[in-house]
Amino acid sequence: MRTVVVIPTYNERENLPVIVGRVRAAIPAASVMIVDDNSPDGTGRLADELAAADSQVLVKHRTGKEGLGRAYLDAFAQALDAGFEVIVQMDADLSHQPEDLPALLAGLESGGTEHPVDLVIGSRWVPGGKIVNWPWHRILISRGGSWYARTMLRVPTRDATAGFRAWRASALQSLPLDAVQTKGYGFQVDMLWQAFQAGLRVVEVPITFIERVVGTSKMSTKIVIEAMLQVTQWGLAARFGKRAPK
C-alpha cells in the first residue's frame, strides 16, 4: 500500500537527517512528510534540502508552533488528498525506532480481508515492548497516563498515549477530523478514542522506545496536566451519554 511517514518537527535539525535516512532505509518504498512549525534552528531549511535530494521526501511548512495535534491534522489532510493509503505518525527525536516500521505495517495486514485492522499502535506496554534510558518517574507518568485514559474512556489499549501509529487512510477518512481541536499531548488519546467510538479495529505491536539523546524534549508538566484534564472531561461526558465540547 502507498505509505507516507509523517514526522512533525520543531528545532530538530540535528536529528532530522538521521531519522529520515533510517526511515528511508527501513521502508524504501514509503514517502516521508516533514511538517515543520517554522523552527528557528533551521530545521525547515534542512528539510527542503533533503527533499531536493530525494523525491520521496515531502515538506510541509507551517507558519508557527501551533501544537502537535494541529500539525498532524494538517498532514493527514495533505496525505489523504495525495492518495496515500497508509499514514504513519512518528516522532522526530529518534525515540521511535524506524526499524520497527515494518512491524507496524505488518500489523495492518494481520487481520486479513475478513477482519481488517484500521490502526496499529507501536506500544511500550505490551509484552516485548521496551523502554531505554527513561528515569523511573517518566515511566510512572507514562504508565499512569495510559492507565487513567483506559479507565476514564473505557478503551482496552495498553499504551493509550503512544505517538507511533500506522493508520489506514480509510480509517482516518471515517473520523470527524474537522471536529478534533486537541493541540497537545492529549491529541493521541483523543484520536484513539475517536477510533474506538467509530468502531475501528485497533491492535498494538511491541516497540523499543529510546529516550532522545540530542535536543530538548517538548514534554512538560503543563502539557501532561492539560491532557489529563481533557481525558477527565471526555470520560465524564461519555458517562452521561454526550461528549463534552472541546
Side-chain angles (χ1 to χ4, degrees):
M1 292 184 287
R2 191 164 173 240
T3 300
V4 62
V5 179
V6 177
I7 305 177
T9 58
Y10 186 78
N11 287 347
E12 295 289 356
R13 182 178 177 83
E14 293 179 270
N15 288 319
L16 186 61
V18 180
I19 189 74
V20 170
R22 287 172 60 184
V23 169
R24 295 287 289 115
I27 45 173
S31 296
V32 177
M33 183 187 297
I34 303 161
V35 185
D36 187 63
D37 277 6
N38 197 23
S39 298
D41 74 342
T43 299
R45 292 191 300 275
L46 177 57
D48 287 336
E49 293 172 9
L50 295 174
D54 186 343
S55 62
Q56 286 178 250
V57 176
L58 313 172
V59 183
K60 184 174 183 60
H61 293 283
R62 287 158 33 89
T63 57
K65 193 176 181 182
E66 299 177 47
L68 182 69
R70 192 70 258 165
Y72 270 127
L73 290 173
D74 287 352
F76 291 166
Q78 182 167 319
L80 292 172
D81 285 344
F84 286 103
E85 299 169 278
V86 174
I87 301 172
V88 179
Q89 297 175 236
M90 188 174 192
D91 290 348
D93 61 6
L94 296 172
S95 57
H96 299 149
Q97 304 306 292
E99 293 72 24
D100 286 328
L101 282 166
L104 264 70
L105 299 182
L108 285 176
E109 303 292 343
S110 62
T113 56
E114 292 187 5
H115 304 285
V117 174
D118 299 293
L119 167 62
V120 177
I121 293 179
S123 178
R124 297 161 289 188
W125 309 127
V126 295
K130 299 177 183 177
I131 289 281
V132 178
N133 294 333
W134 255 16
W136 66 269
H137 66 274
R138 287 289 302 277
I139 295 175
L140 183 63
I141 290 171
S142 181
R143 279 190 173 275
S146 285
W147 172 84
Y148 189 71
R150 290 199 313 271
T151 302
M152 290 299 297
L153 303 180
R154 298 173 180 171
V155 298
T157 304
R158 301 296 300 175
D159 199 344
T161 64
F164 198 9
R165 303 179 174 193
W167 294 87
R168 285 188 186 271
S170 57
L172 285 174
Q173 289 168 327
S174 73
L175 300 179
L177 297 181
D178 289 344
V180 177
Q181 300 298 322
T182 314
K183 295 182 179 180
Y185 187 66
F187 173 77
Q188 309 293 10
V189 180
D190 193 355
M191 289 295 294
L192 179 65
W193 193 31
Q194 295 273 8
F196 277 107
Q197 287 183 307
L200 301 184
R201 188 174 182 211
V202 181
V203 301
E204 293 179 88
V205 299
I207 63 163
T208 298
F209 184 98
I210 301 176
E211 173 68 335
R212 72 155 66 228
V213 175
V214 177
T216 303
S217 174
K218 312 300 187 296
M219 188 59 63
S220 68
T221 301
K222 179 182 178 181
I223 290 173
V224 173
I225 292 174
E226 177 188 72
M228 300 310 288
L229 289 175
Q230 288 173 324
V231 168
T232 302
Q233 181 187 27
W234 301 334
L236 292 176
R239 282 162 171 73
F240 289 98
K242 183 179 180 181
R243 182 164 182 170
K246 299 183 184 68

PDB file of all heavy atoms in Angstrom, residues 31-51:
ATOM      1  N   SER A  31       7.106   7.155   1.401  1.00  0.00           N
ATOM      2  CA  SER A  31       7.489   8.561   1.396  1.00  0.00           C
ATOM      3  C   SER A  31       7.590   9.064   2.833  1.00  0.00           C
ATOM      4  O   SER A  31       7.054   8.448   3.758  1.00  0.00           O
ATOM      5  CB  SER A  31       6.453   9.393   0.631  1.00  0.00           C
ATOM      6  OG  SER A  31       6.409   9.021  -0.727  1.00  0.00           O
ATOM      7  N   VAL A  32       8.269  10.181   2.999  1.00  0.00           N
ATOM      8  CA  VAL A  32       8.389  10.842   4.302  1.00  0.00           C
ATOM      9  C   VAL A  32       7.857  12.257   4.152  1.00  0.00           C
ATOM     10  O   VAL A  32       8.227  12.965   3.211  1.00  0.00           O
ATOM     11  CB  VAL A  32       9.857  10.890   4.773  1.00  0.00           C
ATOM     12  CG1 VAL A  32       9.964  11.647   6.098  1.00  0.00           C
ATOM     13  CG2 VAL A  32      10.425   9.483   4.912  1.00  0.00           C
ATOM     14  N   MET A  33       6.978  12.658   5.066  1.00  0.00           N
ATOM     15  CA  MET A  33       6.471  14.024   5.070  1.00  0.00           C
ATOM     16  C   MET A  33       6.931  14.725   6.352  1.00  0.00           C
ATOM     17  O   MET A  33       6.526  14.356   7.453  1.00  0.00           O
ATOM     18  CB  MET A  33       4.947  14.078   4.999  1.00  0.00           C
ATOM     19  CG  MET A  33       4.398  15.506   4.930  1.00  0.00           C
ATOM     20  SD  MET A  33       2.586  15.598   5.046  1.00  0.00           S
ATOM     21  CE  MET A  33       2.104  14.718   3.568  1.00  0.00           C
ATOM     22  N   ILE A  34       7.796  15.718   6.189  1.00  0.00           N
ATOM     23  CA  ILE A  34       8.275  16.518   7.320  1.00  0.00           C
ATOM     24  C   ILE A  34       7.346  17.720   7.466  1.00  0.00           C
ATOM     25  O   ILE A  34       7.103  18.455   6.512  1.00  0.00           O
ATOM     26  CB  ILE A  34       9.715  16.995   7.085  1.00  0.00           C
ATOM     27  CG1 ILE A  34      10.650  15.795   6.840  1.00  0.00           C
ATOM     28  CG2 ILE A  34      10.219  17.840   8.257  1.00  0.00           C
ATOM     29  CD1 ILE A  34      11.955  16.166   6.167  1.00  0.00           C
ATOM     30  N   VAL A  35       6.813  17.902   8.668  1.00  0.00           N
ATOM     31  CA  VAL A  35       5.894  19.008   8.938  1.00  0.00           C
ATOM     32  C   VAL A  35       6.576  19.929   9.949  1.00  0.00           C
ATOM     33  O   VAL A  35       6.638  19.622  11.137  1.00  0.00           O
ATOM     34  CB  VAL A  35       4.545  18.499   9.491  1.00  0.00           C
ATOM     35  CG1 VAL A  35       3.561  19.659   9.637  1.00  0.00           C
ATOM     36  CG2 VAL A  35       3.969  17.419   8.596  1.00  0.00           C
ATOM     37  N   ASP A  36       7.103  21.030   9.465  1.00  0.00           N
ATOM     38  CA  ASP A  36       7.902  21.902  10.324  1.00  0.00           C
ATOM     39  C   ASP A  36       7.128  23.158  10.721  1.00  0.00           C
ATOM     40  O   ASP A  36       6.534  23.830   9.880  1.00  0.00           O
ATOM     41  CB  ASP A  36       9.202  22.311   9.628  1.00  0.00           C
ATOM     42  CG  ASP A  36      10.114  23.079  10.573  1.00  0.00           C
ATOM     43  OD1 ASP A  36      10.534  22.490  11.586  1.00  0.00           O
ATOM     44  OD2 ASP A  36      10.368  24.264  10.309  1.00  0.00           O
ATOM     45  N   ASP A  37       7.178  23.466  12.013  1.00  0.00           N
ATOM     46  CA  ASP A  37       6.472  24.628  12.564  1.00  0.00           C
ATOM     47  C   ASP A  37       7.371  25.856  12.624  1.00  0.00           C
ATOM     48  O   ASP A  37       7.501  26.503  13.673  1.00  0.00           O
ATOM     49  CB  ASP A  37       5.930  24.297  13.958  1.00  0.00           C
ATOM     50  CG  ASP A  37       4.592  23.567  13.894  1.00  0.00           C
ATOM     51  OD1 ASP A  37       4.153  23.231  12.786  1.00  0.00           O
ATOM     52  OD2 ASP A  37       3.992  23.339  14.965  1.00  0.00           O
ATOM     53  N   ASN A  38       8.028  26.160  11.510  1.00  0.00           N
ATOM     54  CA  ASN A  38       8.873  27.358  11.415  1.00  0.00           C
ATOM     55  C   ASN A  38       9.960  27.349  12.491  1.00  0.00           C
ATOM     56  O   ASN A  38      10.169  28.337  13.214  1.00  0.00           O
ATOM     57  CB  ASN A  38       8.024  28.630  11.524  1.00  0.00           C
ATOM     58  CG  ASN A  38       8.758  29.866  11.031  1.00  0.00           C
ATOM     59  OD1 ASN A  38       9.699  29.772  10.248  1.00  0.00           O
ATOM     60  ND2 ASN A  38       8.335  31.023  11.502  1.00  0.00           N
ATOM     61  N   SER A  39      10.680  26.248  12.559  1.00  0.00           N
ATOM     62  CA  SER A  39      11.726  26.082  13.583  1.00  0.00           C
ATOM     63  C   SER A  39      12.794  27.160  13.456  1.00  0.00           C
ATOM     64  O   SER A  39      13.372  27.344  12.381  1.00  0.00           O
ATOM     65  CB  SER A  39      12.403  24.712  13.428  1.00  0.00           C
ATOM     66  OG  SER A  39      11.488  23.666  13.615  1.00  0.00           O
ATOM     67  N   PRO A  40      13.113  27.842  14.550  1.00  0.00           N
ATOM     68  CA  PRO A  40      14.147  28.882  14.477  1.00  0.00           C
ATOM     69  C   PRO A  40      15.556  28.342  14.270  1.00  0.00           C
ATOM     70  O   PRO A  40      16.462  29.104  13.924  1.00  0.00           O
ATOM     71  CB  PRO A  40      14.016  29.599  15.826  1.00  0.00           C
ATOM     72  CG  PRO A  40      13.323  28.650  16.722  1.00  0.00           C
ATOM     73  CD  PRO A  40      12.431  27.827  15.857  1.00  0.00           C
ATOM     74  N   ASP A  41      15.767  27.039  14.474  1.00  0.00           N
ATOM     75  CA  ASP A  41      17.117  26.481  14.311  1.00  0.00           C
ATOM     76  C   ASP A  41      17.419  26.072  12.874  1.00  0.00           C
ATOM     77  O   ASP A  41      18.485  25.529  12.594  1.00  0.00           O
ATOM     78  CB  ASP A  41      17.319  25.293  15.254  1.00  0.00           C
ATOM     79  CG  ASP A  41      16.576  24.035  14.806  1.00  0.00           C
ATOM     80  OD1 ASP A  41      15.648  24.170  13.967  1.00  0.00           O
ATOM     81  OD2 ASP A  41      16.900  22.941  15.285  1.00  0.00           O
ATOM     82  N   GLY A  42      16.503  26.319  11.945  1.00  0.00           N
ATOM     83  CA  GLY A  42      16.748  25.986  10.545  1.00  0.00           C
ATOM     84  C   GLY A  42      16.326  24.598  10.128  1.00  0.00           C
ATOM     85  O   GLY A  42      16.700  24.139   9.036  1.00  0.00           O
ATOM     86  N   THR A  43      15.525  23.911  10.957  1.00  0.00           N
ATOM     87  CA  THR A  43      15.062  22.572  10.588  1.00  0.00           C
ATOM     88  C   THR A  43      14.319  22.590   9.258  1.00  0.00           C
ATOM     89  O   THR A  43      14.477  21.699   8.423  1.00  0.00           O
ATOM     90  CB  THR A  43      14.151  22.000  11.690  1.00  0.00           C
ATOM     91  OG1 THR A  43      14.879  21.904  12.912  1.00  0.00           O
ATOM     92  CG2 THR A  43      13.646  20.620  11.311  1.00  0.00           C
ATOM     93  N   GLY A  44      13.500  23.617   9.043  1.00  0.00           N
ATOM     94  CA  GLY A  44      12.732  23.708   7.808  1.00  0.00           C
ATOM     95  C   GLY A  44      13.607  23.816   6.580  1.00  0.00           C
ATOM     96  O   GLY A  44      13.326  23.193   5.544  1.00  0.00           O
ATOM     97  N   ARG A  45      14.662  24.599   6.683  1.00  0.00           N
ATOM     98  CA  ARG A  45      15.584  24.738   5.548  1.00  0.00           C
ATOM     99  C   ARG A  45      16.280  23.421   5.251  1.00  0.00           C
ATOM    100  O   ARG A  45      16.457  23.038   4.080  1.00  0.00           O
ATOM    101  CB  ARG A  45      16.613  25.837   5.828  1.00  0.00           C
ATOM    102  CG  ARG A  45      16.020  27.241   5.883  1.00  0.00           C
ATOM    103  CD  ARG A  45      17.107  28.305   5.898  1.00  0.00           C
ATOM    104  NE  ARG A  45      17.998  28.186   7.047  1.00  0.00           N
ATOM    105  CZ  ARG A  45      17.740  28.722   8.241  1.00  0.00           C
ATOM    106  NH1 ARG A  45      16.614  29.413   8.436  1.00  0.00           N
ATOM    107  NH2 ARG A  45      18.595  28.587   9.230  1.00  0.00           N
ATOM    108  N   LEU A  46      16.679  22.723   6.299  1.00  0.00           N
ATOM    109  CA  LEU A  46      17.313  21.423   6.107  1.00  0.00           C
ATOM    110  C   LEU A  46      16.329  20.437   5.488  1.00  0.00           C
ATOM    111  O   LEU A  46      16.702  19.637   4.616  1.00  0.00           O
ATOM    112  CB  LEU A  46      17.834  20.888   7.441  1.00  0.00           C
ATOM    113  CG  LEU A  46      18.465  19.491   7.408  1.00  0.00           C
ATOM    114  CD1 LEU A  46      19.624  19.436   6.422  1.00  0.00           C
ATOM    115  CD2 LEU A  46      18.921  19.080   8.804  1.00  0.00           C
ATOM    116  N   ALA A  47      15.078  20.501   5.900  1.00  0.00           N
ATOM    117  CA  ALA A  47      14.059  19.627   5.324  1.00  0.00           C
ATOM    118  C   ALA A  47      13.941  19.867   3.818  1.00  0.00           C
ATOM    119  O   ALA A  47      13.831  18.910   3.027  1.00  0.00           O
ATOM    120  CB  ALA A  47      12.713  19.865   6.008  1.00  0.00           C
ATOM    121  N   ASP A  48      13.980  21.124   3.410  1.00  0.00           N
ATOM    122  CA  ASP A  48      13.929  21.439   1.974  1.00  0.00           C
ATOM    123  C   ASP A  48      15.127  20.853   1.234  1.00  0.00           C
ATOM    124  O   ASP A  48      15.005  20.378   0.096  1.00  0.00           O
ATOM    125  CB  ASP A  48      13.877  22.950   1.777  1.00  0.00           C
ATOM    126  CG  ASP A  48      12.530  23.548   2.149  1.00  0.00           C
ATOM    127  OD1 ASP A  48      11.522  22.820   2.126  1.00  0.00           O
ATOM    128  OD2 ASP A  48      12.500  24.753   2.480  1.00  0.00           O
ATOM    129  N   GLU A  49      16.295  20.876   1.861  1.00  0.00           N
ATOM    130  CA  GLU A  49      17.484  20.310   1.239  1.00  0.00           C
ATOM    131  C   GLU A  49      17.341  18.790   1.072  1.00  0.00           C
ATOM    132  O   GLU A  49      17.718  18.225   0.035  1.00  0.00           O
ATOM    133  CB  GLU A  49      18.720  20.636   2.086  1.00  0.00           C
ATOM    134  CG  GLU A  49      19.071  22.120   2.124  1.00  0.00           C
ATOM    135  CD  GLU A  49      20.182  22.419   3.114  1.00  0.00           C
ATOM    136  OE1 GLU A  49      20.787  21.451   3.644  1.00  0.00           O
ATOM    137  OE2 GLU A  49      20.437  23.608   3.383  1.00  0.00           O
ATOM    138  N   LEU A  50      16.795  18.142   2.088  1.00  0.00           N
ATOM    139  CA  LEU A  50      16.581  16.698   1.999  1.00  0.00           C
ATOM    140  C   LEU A  50      15.577  16.369   0.902  1.00  0.00           C
ATOM    141  O   LEU A  50      15.744  15.391   0.165  1.00  0.00           O
ATOM    142  CB  LEU A  50      16.089  16.158   3.346  1.00  0.00           C
ATOM    143  CG  LEU A  50      17.071  16.257   4.524  1.00  0.00           C
ATOM    144  CD1 LEU A  50      16.385  15.831   5.818  1.00  0.00           C
ATOM    145  CD2 LEU A  50      18.304  15.392   4.274  1.00  0.00           C
ATOM    146  N   ALA A  51      14.535  17.190   0.785  1.00  0.00           N
ATOM    147  CA  ALA A  51      13.529  16.966  -0.247  1.00  0.00           C
ATOM    148  C   ALA A  51      14.093  17.183  -1.644  1.00  0.00           C
ATOM    149  O   ALA A  51      13.735  16.472  -2.587  1.00  0.00           O
ATOM    150  CB  ALA A  51      12.333  17.884  -0.007  1.00  0.00           C
TER     151      ALA A  51
END
